[in-house]
Amino acid sequence: MERLQRSGRCLRAALARGRVRRRLPVLLLAIAVLGSALKDSDLVPDTPLQNKRNPLNVYFVKVAWAWTLWLLLPFISLTTYELARSKFLYGRTKSVLLVLRRLGALLVGTAVWYVCTEFFIHVENLTGECSLQGKPGRPPRLYASKRECHQDGGVWNGFDISGHCFLLSYCAMMILEEVAVLEALSIDHSSKLRVVIDILFVSLCFLTMMWVFMFLCTALYFHDFSQKLLGVLIGLSGWYGTYRFWYLKPFSPGLPLPNIPLSSKKYSYSR
């Protein structure tokens, strides 16, 4: 337990404050640019990570939004409720309503993920064509989608916007925004709630580092530069449009620190 608290303190100092949150977008863009340059120069060594079927890609990146959603759901619920009760002295009903409002950010995130991935599929289908070796007795045909092409054993060549770059950048930024609530949350060290929140927070930090690492692998091994750049720009636009614009408005899920200006946030979780 002591090791968990020590890990939590170190990670809070590194990730919960705004310094990393402000610099990560630039870092992601730099990784996309430099990773693409290394890939195009054939300077990247062969590793198991270049195989799309590697375990990290199959069990984590392919379901990145599910992992992010599964951990943020209890984290947002517990921290928002405790913040409302301890800092704003809200009653139970109003605290629950605030929790439900903040959980709306997960619904918005799910909508962003779904709309963008469907858009990527549409663009790839619209811009692609199927490369298929002719087979005796089978007349040539036109393929309307990548799925139809693959069903006949063909290869679809289209503009494939990097869904990995989009989703990993969006998930990483969303997690960093949500853990900012720890800057204003004070919980007793011996509290069971403190232990649960510490476990969730450490898990979210591990997940964020995993997403950044897999973003680096995507930049080094997959997609063209334009596909990766467009993917990360869309991911960062989704984050900026919600947390830096819409969530500042009254009719929105709101920010993790409601009614507290960004310039006056206090890091008091460890007190």
Side-chain angles (χ1 to χ4, degrees):
M1 197 64 62
E2 183 179 349
R3 184 176 300 176
L4 174 65
Q5 292 179 352
R6 188 162 55 249
S7 300
R9 285 195 296 270
C10 293
L11 290 170
R12 282 195 296 275
L15 296 180
R17 295 181 178 181
R19 185 168 55 251
V20 173
R21 193 161 59 250
R22 290 190 299 269
R23 294 177 180 175
L24 185 58
V26 177
L27 175 62
L28 293 173
L29 288 170
I31 289 174
V33 173
L34 295 177
S36 297
L38 292 173
K39 176 179 179 292
D40 294 341
S41 302
D42 294 325
L43 297 176
V44 184
D46 293 337
T47 69
L49 293 172
Q50 70 187 90
N51 186 343
K52 292 183 178 181
R53 298 186 179 276
N54 73 78
L56 290 179
N57 192 55
V58 173
Y59 297 111
F60 284 91
V61 180
K62 290 289 186 182
V63 287
W65 181 245
W67 279 104
T68 304
L69 188 68
W70 180 68
L71 287 174
L72 279 180
L73 181 62
F75 180 83
I76 293 175
S77 300
L78 292 174
T79 54
T80 303
Y81 185 83
E82 182 63 23
L83 183 68
R85 298 272 289 179
S86 62
K87 290 292 184 182
F88 301 105
L89 303 179
Y90 288 170
R92 180 172 298 179
T93 300
K94 197 168 183 179
S95 297
V96 171
L97 290 176
L98 181 59
V99 170
L100 294 176
R101 179 186 177 186
R102 286 264 43 259
L103 288 177
L106 299 181
L107 292 177
V108 173
T110 301
V112 171
W113 162 74
Y114 179 79
V115 170
C116 289
T117 51
E118 289 297 312
F119 172 72
F120 297 165
I121 293 172
H122 178 71
V123 169
E124 188 175 12
N125 288 336
L126 194 64
T127 60
E129 59 181 13
C130 187
S131 298
L132 182 64
Q133 293 182 350
K135 296 182 180 180
R138 175 179 293 186
R141 56 167 292 194
L142 295 176
Y143 292 86
S145 68
K146 180 179 179 179
R147 182 177 181 181
E148 291 181 5
C149 177
H150 284 178
Q151 286 175 346
D152 276 0
V155 177
W156 187 262
N157 300 308
F159 188 76
D160 182 17
I161 302 173
S162 177
H164 281 20
C165 286
F166 153 72
L167 186 57
L168 295 175
S169 60
Y170 183 66
C171 287
M173 292 305 305
M174 187 174 184
I175 290 173
L176 290 183
E177 289 287 352
E178 293 298 336
V179 298
V181 71
L182 299 184
E183 297 180 44
L185 195 61
S186 299
I187 303 177
D188 187 80
H189 286 269
S190 60
S191 170
K192 293 181 180 179
L193 178 62
R194 168 66 180 264
V195 175
V196 174
I197 291 178
D198 273 344
I199 292 173
L200 290 170
F201 174 65
V202 171
S203 300
L204 284 167
C205 291
F206 172 79
L207 204 60
T208 302
M209 290 184 282
M210 172 75 75
W211 296 159
V212 174
F213 174 71
M214 293 309 296
F215 184 94
L216 172 62
C217 293
T218 301
L220 291 173
Y221 293 113
F222 304 104
H223 292 282
D224 295 335
F225 169 66
S226 59
Q227 297 168 351
K228 287 178 282 195
L229 181 62
L230 190 55
V232 67
L233 286 176
I234 293 175
L236 294 177
S237 297
W239 154 72
Y240 191 89
T242 50
Y243 284 91
R244 288 292 179 266
F245 181 73
W246 182 28
Y247 290 177
L248 298 175
K249 309 298 182 181
F251 298 102
S252 72
L255 292 172
L257 296 176
N259 301 326
I260 300 179
L262 294 176
S263 60
S264 64
K265 289 180 182 178
K266 300 297 182 181
Y267 183 76
S268 58
Y269 179 75
S270 60
R271 295 179 184 176

